Amino acid sequence: MNFNDIAKASYETARKRQENGANISVKTRDMFKHCATEVVEAMEAYTRMDCYPQLNKPEQEIFKDRFASELADIISCAAIIAHAEGIDLNKAMSSCLEKNRLRAEGRGDKK
């Protein structure tokens, strides 16, 4: 699945959830707010995962799975925004990777 496919599927799912009464909006400003909440939730999940190394393996996996889920929620929010704004996410991600590769080589606009 490519980024544009993910963006389209994420947008359509969020729109359908909205139509079915869920407290979610595919409007860009609203989705940015939703994404901010997901970032906070990801940080909380990461903190729990990172701060409790003494937990047994199954408990560690629970925190890691929650963290992974929150990261996916952040990506989904960004994908929904991209689709709503008509952004080619494949092209944007390719450009981002190249920009950061050049920076890593000391040839970009920032080091």
Side-chain angles (χ1 to χ4, degrees):
M1 188 174 263
N2 69 42
F3 290 112
N4 290 329
D5 290 341
I6 291 168
K8 182 178 180 184
S10 297
Y11 179 90
E12 289 174 354
T13 299
R15 189 180 48 76
K16 189 169 198 163
R17 286 181 63 202
Q18 182 180 353
E19 289 171 1
N20 289 332
N23 186 22
I24 190 169
S25 171
V26 294
K27 292 180 181 176
T28 298
R29 280 183 173 72
D30 295 335
M31 192 51 61
F32 269 119
K33 291 176 185 177
H34 184 82
C35 188
T37 301
E38 298 298 349
V39 170
V40 171
E41 290 174 0
M43 185 61 210
E44 289 171 352
Y46 179 78
T47 299
R48 287 190 183 115
M49 182 182 75
D50 190 50
C51 291
Y52 299 110
Q54 75 278 10
L55 296 175
N56 63 41
K57 187 76 170 166
E59 290 171 321
Q60 288 175 348
E61 288 302 315
I62 290 169
F63 286 123
K64 188 173 184 177
D65 289 347
R66 179 158 179 244
F67 177 56
S69 177
E70 297 301 343
L71 286 177
D73 287 342
I74 294 166
I75 293 166
S76 181
C77 287
I80 291 166
I81 292 167
H83 185 79
E85 296 299 324
I87 292 169
D88 182 335
L89 205 47
N90 290 326
K91 182 178 176 184
M93 287 303 301
S94 181
S95 295
C96 180
L97 288 169
E98 178 65 10
K99 170 188 70 181
N100 286 318
R101 184 188 65 78
L102 290 172
R103 288 176 177 174
E105 295 173 355
R107 300 188 296 136
D109 59 334
K110 297 179 184 177
K111 302 224 187 243

